[in-house]
């Protein structure tokens, strides 16, 4: 196959992306009937996927965030992946036993070339200004202007108008010898692995009505490695580091040991991305029983022998993984063979610390202040620059799935068959990503309070309007932050009488003589090391109480997630002679998990667990959970024409008009998939990089309201129906439902027998998709303006116009009504 597909361009006058695809494959096999009771089946196959996704840019990424970017900045990536597959199955029939055993060998190579890290970036990003961008709005209000509606759009526009970079980075790549590769050069990698399976099973016909199946499979997958030596790994498994850090925080002591990296893989005689998992035994058992019972009740339930069947089974399976993880880690890691040196958040403000000025899209980013000469390194400096990076946790093991099912099938009169089934599945050690540098939830050993609880008490005081000096001492802040009063009184003049009041001054509103900061992770940074902000010392008992000195967020793929699924299905099918046949299927199911993403998602994407210190907070309906599904299909050949029930003796000329008509149809309906509450668009309550969802404080009616094209029945009421997340909260996950979907497709055809031979046939087809032209909204616009909460979302006065809040629909599911016509001639 050789395809080239052109995509749409970012703007009418920009380069369009394109995809070149050239896969191939072949298989050779040998079937050997050794004897009447012995058969061997051998296969060798090769599939070779090859594609090149041509990007739209070969220059630095320079843009005005939320306002304008000239191109999409998609970079070219090419891949060639040959996979060799060798299988052999042997079958032995002995009496009422059918014994099978065999194996499967897969040899996988993944040859990649990418420009993802070949260029630098510079962005006018409002969120990277000091105080998470609040300084921009503060300057506007200081000039006497009033900002309503949270000010997010105003801040975005003002940041672009200022025209100064608040976030920029130089991206460098290195060769095996440590030399710097020229800018704009691709990174070439070859990832490899081998996988081995062996199995044995016995199908035992214990009775003509009873069959058992027993089987055992064993799988072994070599950890993915980079053939040429472009491989680095953490010297300590990140999962173990995370557990040590969590345990230390529970004792009130921050763990700030540094993360080091070493060269890994066979080419370097070093450790792998992860260890070889040898515990992949996969037993399976199944039973099929055709009951035969006498008596009225037995005949009613099961009919005569052969009319009914009951099946059940249980099995354990393991996932293969590794290829995508290794690729993602290689592309995202800034250690070893790539280096990204950037400006940390809060570096610049709009008064005495302005960022570099935008001078054009060809600007040399590496010449901007703060980007040193590239140096190959195997550790990240402990310079407290609040880095946001990604890695791979070498403690990962093969995800395990426990599946069980039971079904009852029954033949009914007139060719009807009914089947009811239950399917259960519990998955453990699923792949996901989590921040192994999640900000410490420090526990005060003296009082037993943790940060989430103690900070929540200050939030309550702020929302109640308490003044700074009216707050009683809280042991948490008195014990863990003994220097807060001296530092914050001196710098901010809170007039605090104790350390608790001094810390509360950061939370308290301006009317309460405080700073009114709602970004709680930024507050943790202020409590961590106040010298970061030009203040006079460290408020805490230890340095780096909350933040690790190397990373502010360090997402690592690991196997920590879980899911549970329960489903009930009912199927009814019938064939009425050669005229009508139909199927009707209904499924009621529920899928729950704590993350729902894939290995291909970004490190902070759908598979990211926002608060790994409290993973149970994210356990909810899966992103893909579809509670109800109905699908049905039918085939109806009109019983009219020659040889049919009606007008069976009609002549050929008349039969050409009334005979040979057929109608076919497919119908589908399903309920909508979940969506979470609106998110905190202006603050970060729990994780430095990923924002939490809000929490409902009153009922909200949601749906697809066509008159307003809004997700909320009353958008103005919904605007104040959520509160921002408190410290440590993730907010409600997947608690709303998006619109469902249904469609009916029909096809009408007419067949003709050719007059010169009945073996020559002509068929005309008319097919209509979405016959009723029902169009259901599709959600995808989750921008801050449409689904984001401003600061103090529940108390901010609703503006006269709420803009696009709640307008998350950006298209329709499926397609409008379409028709197609076809002619088929067969002979």
């Amino acid at each position: 196959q050789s395809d080239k597909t052109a995509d749409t361009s970012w703007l009418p006058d920009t380069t369009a992306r394109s995809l070149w695809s050239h896969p191939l494959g072949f298989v050779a096999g040998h079937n050997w009937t050794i004897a009447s009771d012995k058969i061997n089946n051998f296969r060798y196959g090769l599939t070779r996927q090859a594609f090149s996704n041509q990007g739209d840019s070969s220059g630095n990424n320079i843009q005005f965030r939320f306002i304008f970017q000239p191109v999409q900045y998609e970079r070219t990536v090419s891949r060639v992946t040959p996979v060799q597959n060798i299988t052999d199955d042997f079958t032995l029939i002995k009496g009422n036993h059918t014994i099978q055993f065999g194996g499967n060998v897969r040899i996988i190579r993944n040859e990649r070339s990418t420009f993802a890290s070949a260029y630098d970036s510079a962005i006018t990003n409002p969120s990277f200004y000091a105080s998470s961008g609040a300084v921009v709005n503060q300057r506007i209000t200081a000039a006497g202007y009033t900002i309503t509606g949270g000010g997010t759009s105003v801040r975005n526009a003002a940041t672009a108008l200022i025209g100064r970079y608040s976030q920029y980075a130089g991206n460098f790549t290195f060769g095996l010898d440590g030399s710097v590769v020229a800018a704009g050069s691709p990174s070439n990698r070859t990832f490899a692995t081998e996988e081995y399976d062996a199995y044995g099973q016995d199908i035992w016909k214990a009775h003509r009505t009873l069959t058992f199946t027993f089987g055992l499979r064993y799988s072994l997958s070599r950890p993915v490695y980079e053939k040429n030596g472009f491989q680095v790994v953490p010297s300590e498994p990140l999962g173990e580091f995370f557990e040590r850090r969590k345990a230390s925080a529970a004792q009130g002591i921050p763990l700030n040991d540094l993360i080091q990296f070493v060269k890994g893989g066979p080419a370097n005689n070093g450790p792998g991305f992860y260890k070889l998992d040898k515990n992949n035994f996969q037993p399976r058992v199944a039973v099929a029983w055709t009951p035969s019972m006498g008596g009225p009740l037995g005949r009613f339930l099961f009919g005569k022998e052969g009319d009914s069947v009951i099946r059940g089974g249980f099995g354990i399976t393991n996932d293969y993984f590794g290829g995508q993880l290794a690729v993602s880690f290689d592309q995202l890691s800034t250690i070893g063979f790539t280096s990204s040196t950037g400006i940390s958040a809060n570096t610049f403000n709009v008064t005495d610390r302005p960022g570099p000025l935008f001078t054009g899209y060809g600007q040399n980013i590496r010449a901007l202040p703060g980007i040193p000469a590239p140096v190959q390194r195997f550790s990240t400096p402990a310079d407290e620059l609040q880095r946001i990076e990604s890695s791979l946790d070498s403690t990962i093991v093969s995800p395990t799935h426990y599946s069980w099912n039971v079904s009852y099938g029954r033949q009914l009169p007139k060719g009807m068959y009914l089947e009811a089934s239950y399917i259960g599945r519990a998955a453990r050690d699923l792949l996901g990503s989590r921040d192994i540098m999640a900000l410490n939830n420090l526990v005060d050993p003296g009082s037993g309070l943790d940060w989430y609880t103690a900070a929540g008490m200050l939030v309550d005081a702020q929302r109640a309007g308490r003044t700074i000096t009216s707050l009683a001492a809280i042991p948490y802040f008195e014990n863990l932050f003994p220097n807060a009063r001296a530092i914050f009184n001196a710098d901010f003049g809170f007039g605090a009488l104790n350390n608790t009041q001094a810390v509360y001054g950061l939370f308290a509103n301006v009317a309460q003589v405080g700073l009114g900061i709602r970004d709680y992770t930024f507050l943790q940074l202020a409590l961590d090391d106040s010298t970061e902000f030009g203040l006079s010392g460290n408020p805490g008992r230890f340095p780096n109480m909350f933040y690790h000195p190397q990373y502010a967020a360090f997402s690592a793929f690991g196997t920590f997630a879980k899911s549970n699924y329960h489903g009930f299905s009912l199927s009814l099918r019938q064939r009425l002679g050669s005229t009508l046949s139909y199927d009707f299927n209904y499924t009621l199911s529920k899928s729950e998990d704590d993350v729902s993403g894939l290995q291909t998602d970004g490190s902070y994407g759908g598979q990211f667990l926002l608060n790994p210190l409290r993973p149970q907070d994210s356990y909810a309906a899966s992103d893909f959970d579809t509670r109800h599904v109905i699908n049905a299909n039918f085939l109806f050949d009109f019983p009219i024409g020659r040889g049919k029930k009606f007008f069976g003796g009609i002549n050929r000329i008349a039969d050409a008009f009334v005979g040979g008509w057929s109608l076919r149809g497919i119908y589908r309906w399903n309920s909508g998939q979940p969506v979470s509450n609106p998110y905190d668009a202006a603050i970060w309550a729990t994780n430095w990089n990923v924002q939490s969802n809000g929490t409902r404080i009153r009922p909200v009616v949601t749906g697809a309201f066509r008159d307003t094209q809004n997700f909320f029945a009353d958008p103005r009421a919904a605007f104040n129906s959520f509160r921002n997340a408190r410290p440590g909260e993730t907010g409600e996950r997947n608690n709303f439902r998006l619109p469902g979907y249904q469609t009916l497709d029909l096809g009408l055809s007419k067949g003709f027998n050719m007059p010169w031979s009945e073996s020559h046939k002509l068929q005309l087809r008319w097919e209509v998709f979405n016959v009723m032209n029902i169009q259901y909204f599709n959600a995808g616009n989750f921008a801050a303006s449409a689904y984001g909460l401003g600061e103090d979302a529940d108390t901010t006065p609703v503006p006269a116009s709420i803009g696009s809040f709640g307008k998350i629909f950006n298209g329709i599911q499926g397609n409008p009504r379409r028709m197609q016509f076809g002619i088929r001639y067969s002979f």
Side-chain angles (χ1 to χ4, degrees):
Q1 180 176 318
S2 183
D3 291 340
K4 184 176 182 180
T5 306
D7 202 350
T8 55
S9 59
W10 179 249
L11 295 173
D13 59 346
T14 60
T15 302
R17 297 175 302 165
S18 63
L19 174 65
W20 175 84
S21 179
H22 188 190
L24 61 86
F26 70 85
V27 62
H30 178 249
N31 296 328
W32 181 19
T33 304
I34 303 170
S36 60
D37 59 348
K38 300 179 185 68
I39 301 173
N40 192 78
N41 187 340
F42 173 81
R43 293 286 185 273
Y44 171 82
L46 171 68
T47 61
R48 180 181 179 274
Q49 185 184 46
F51 72 84
S52 181
N53 198 339
Q54 297 293 315
D56 68 342
S57 172
S58 58
N60 290 334
N61 180 348
I62 298 177
Q63 59 176 288
F64 299 83
R65 191 182 186 197
F66 303 125
I67 301 298
F68 176 75
Q69 66 181 73
V71 294
Q72 198 164 358
Y73 292 115
E74 290 285 341
R75 309 302 190 184
T76 297
V77 57
S78 302
R79 190 178 86 183
V80 177
T81 309
V83 178
Q84 299 180 70
N85 201 20
I86 304 168
T87 68
D88 191 83
D89 300 284
F90 179 78
T91 301
L92 171 65
I93 301 173
K94 195 170 184 63
N96 54 3
H97 292 267
T98 300
I99 302 171
Q100 295 177 293
F101 56 86
N104 193 345
V105 177
R106 287 175 294 275
I107 303 171
I108 304 170
R109 299 294 181 262
N110 187 341
E111 303 164 9
R112 300 177 63 89
S113 177
T114 177
F115 288 84
S117 301
Y119 304 99
D120 306 323
S121 65
I123 305 171
T124 64
N125 182 1
S127 302
F128 254 61
Y129 270 115
S131 302
S132 300
V135 294
V136 179
N137 284 14
Q138 289 169 2
R139 292 297 294 172
I140 296 173
T141 56
Y145 296 96
T146 300
I147 300 174
T148 60
T152 302
S153 298
V154 173
R155 181 165 60 237
N156 297 344
T159 300
L161 287 172
I162 292 170
R164 291 184 178 273
Y165 300 126
S166 56
Q167 178 185 5
Y168 53 87
N171 299 313
F172 306 95
T173 57
F174 301 89
L176 285 171
D177 59 356
S179 60
V180 179
V181 178
S185 300
S187 296
N188 300 316
R189 303 286 187 267
T190 299
F191 297 98
T193 185
E194 296 83 41
E195 299 172 349
Y196 309 92
D197 288 335
Y199 79 93
Q201 73 172 25
D202 179 15
I203 302 174
W204 174 32
K205 284 184 166 281
H207 187 265
R208 70 174 185 276
T209 62
L210 183 63
T211 301
F212 293 96
T213 302
F214 306 96
L216 178 65
R217 176 180 291 268
Y218 180 74
S219 299
L220 193 64
S221 175
R222 181 179 181 181
V224 176
Y225 58 97
E226 207 288 321
K227 289 187 63 176
N228 301 310
F230 287 100
Q231 184 171 342
V232 293
V233 297
S235 58
E236 177 183 5
L238 296 181
E240 296 177 5
F241 181 90
F242 173 74
E243 294 300 328
R244 289 202 299 121
R245 181 171 165 82
K246 185 169 64 172
S248 184
Q251 303 299 317
I253 303 172
L255 176 72
N256 292 317
D257 296 350
L258 301 186
I259 296 292
Q260 307 288 341
F261 288 79
V262 297
K263 289 185 177 181
N268 297 311
N269 293 317
F273 285 125
Y274 49 91
K275 295 180 180 179
L276 180 66
D277 187 359
K278 302 178 181 179
N279 192 32
N280 295 328
F281 290 94
Q282 303 168 20
R284 300 172 191 185
V285 60
V287 60
W289 176 42
T290 303
S292 176
M293 295 186 180
L297 180 60
R299 287 192 296 272
F300 173 77
L301 293 175
F302 305 111
K304 62 182 183 296
E305 183 176 321
D307 282 352
S308 301
V309 61
I310 298 174
R311 299 183 180 92
F314 172 81
I316 299 176
T317 57
N318 296 102
D319 286 343
Y320 282 114
F321 64 91
Q324 181 60 42
L325 293 180
V327 170
S328 298
F329 178 42
D330 175 74
Q331 291 179 338
L332 297 172
S333 175
T334 60
I335 299 295
F337 301 103
T338 60
S339 173
S340 179
T341 304
I343 297 301
S344 61
N346 304 299
T347 297
F348 301 110
N349 59 23
V350 292
T351 53
D352 59 341
R353 299 198 311 274
L357 189 67
F358 165 82
T359 61
Y361 286 108
Q363 193 167 353
N364 181 7
I365 305 303
R366 299 184 180 186
L368 299 181
I371 299 183
V375 176
Q376 187 179 32
R377 55 188 173 87
F378 290 90
S379 66
T380 299
D383 49 15
E384 304 180 27
L385 289 183
Q386 292 85 55
R387 291 178 177 83
I388 301 170
E389 296 194 5
S390 303
S391 190
L392 182 62
D393 182 1
S394 62
T395 63
I396 58 179
V397 296
S398 299
T400 303
H401 302 263
Y402 305 90
S403 305
W404 57 94
N405 65 83
V406 61
S407 67
Y408 165 74
R410 170 73 192 275
Q411 292 280 358
L412 298 174
K414 298 187 181 299
M416 188 179 298
Y417 181 76
L418 176 70
E419 184 169 281
S421 304
Y422 162 75
I423 300 172
R425 189 180 188 96
R428 299 297 181 262
D429 298 325
L430 292 176
L431 284 162
S433 64
R434 58 181 175 177
D435 186 356
I436 59 104
M437 296 299 186
L439 303 187
N440 284 328
N441 182 27
L442 282 172
V443 176
D444 171 31
S447 64
L449 293 174
D450 61 7
W451 160 255
Y452 296 159
T453 303
M457 297 167 69
L458 299 186
V459 173
D460 291 337
Q462 173 267 320
R463 295 177 68 85
R466 299 279 300 276
T467 61
I468 292 176
T469 55
S470 69
L471 211 63
I474 298 175
Y476 183 89
F477 299 105
E478 302 302 322
N479 296 336
L480 293 183
F481 297 92
N483 306 317
R485 179 187 175 194
I487 293 175
F488 294 137
N489 267 354
D491 289 291
F492 299 121
F494 290 149
L497 303 177
N498 54 44
N499 294 302
T500 300
Q501 293 177 1
V503 175
Y504 176 56
L506 305 175
F507 289 76
N509 293 328
V510 175
Q512 300 161 320
V513 202
L515 299 185
I517 299 175
R518 299 289 180 269
D519 190 339
Y520 302 123
T521 58
F522 176 73
L523 286 174
Q524 287 176 283
L525 190 61
L527 290 170
D528 221 27
D529 187 354
S530 62
T531 57
E532 290 274 338
F533 309 97
L535 303 185
S536 54
N538 185 358
R541 184 172 297 278
F542 304 98
N544 299 99
M545 296 284 281
F546 297 108
Y547 285 78
H548 190 271
Q550 290 176 299
Y551 306 96
F554 198 36
S555 173
F557 278 99
T559 48
F560 56 83
K562 68 176 182 180
S563 70
N564 293 292
Y565 173 85
H566 300 279
F568 168 77
S569 66
L570 183 68
S571 298
L572 180 66
R573 57 185 64 98
Q574 186 175 21
R575 176 179 294 276
L576 295 174
S578 60
T579 301
L580 174 66
S581 63
Y582 66 85
D583 289 273
F584 173 85
N585 306 283
Y586 168 69
T587 301
L588 169 66
S589 64
K590 183 178 183 180
S591 178
E592 295 178 304
D593 58 26
D594 38 26
V595 296
S596 293
L598 303 173
Q599 295 182 45
T600 52
D601 290 346
S603 300
Y604 296 91
Q607 82 301 330
F608 181 70
L609 183 67
L610 194 141
N611 189 353
L613 305 178
R614 298 201 314 202
Q616 68 278 3
D617 292 358
S618 294
Y619 186 77
S622 304
D623 294 355
F624 48 81
D625 177 60
T626 306
R627 196 60 48 89
H628 304 277
V629 177
I630 293 175
N631 66 74
N633 62 79
F634 72 89
L635 297 94
F636 179 61
D637 293 326
F638 289 82
I640 302 174
R642 290 174 63 85
K644 300 295 179 66
K645 183 175 182 180
F646 301 101
F647 304 104
I650 196 171
N651 62 55
R652 294 180 181 276
I653 297 177
D655 184 62
F657 292 95
V658 301
W661 290 94
S662 296
L663 182 66
R664 290 156 170 76
I666 300 174
Y667 173 77
R668 177 184 172 89
W669 173 87
N670 61 261
S671 55
Q673 293 183 338
V675 65
S676 301
N677 279 347
Y679 59 91
D680 293 336
I683 62 177
W684 287 257
T686 301
N687 183 271
W688 175 251
N689 188 45
V690 179
Q691 292 159 310
S692 301
N693 300 321
T695 298
R696 284 174 295 177
I697 58 174
R698 61 180 63 91
V700 180
V701 179
T702 63
F705 301 98
R706 290 184 173 271
D707 53 340
T708 59
Q709 297 182 10
N710 206 289
F711 183 54
F712 300 111
D714 187 343
R716 293 181 61 82
F719 191 86
N720 283 152
S721 296
F722 304 91
R723 66 164 176 82
N724 300 101
R726 296 159 63 93
E729 285 188 339
T730 60
E732 292 177 282
R733 175 176 178 252
N734 289 345
N735 50 300
F736 292 141
R737 289 279 169 172
L738 293 170
Y741 176 73
Q742 69 169 323
T743 185
L744 172 64
D745 303 331
L746 293 176
L748 182 66
S749 63
K750 173 69 174 72
F752 300 89
N753 292 325
M754 295 293 98
W756 52 84
S757 173
E758 289 197 358
S759 65
H760 288 239
K761 299 181 184 297
L762 178 70
Q763 187 183 65
L764 306 180
R765 295 179 179 177
W766 174 28
E767 296 171 337
V768 185
F769 303 94
N770 192 3
V771 173
M772 308 305 295
N773 202 28
I774 301 176
Q775 298 175 18
Y776 292 89
F777 283 140
N778 182 49
N781 178 27
F782 292 102
S785 58
Y787 213 62
L789 303 175
E791 293 182 7
D792 296 324
D794 54 327
T795 58
T796 300
V798 181
S801 172
I802 60 171
S804 59
F805 182 74
K807 293 187 176 182
I808 62 174
F809 302 114
N810 64 340
I812 63 170
Q813 301 181 53
N815 295 288
R817 181 192 295 127
R818 294 182 301 165
M819 299 184 189
Q820 68 182 25
F821 301 89
I823 300 176
R824 175 177 176 172
Y825 184 80
S826 58
F827 57 92

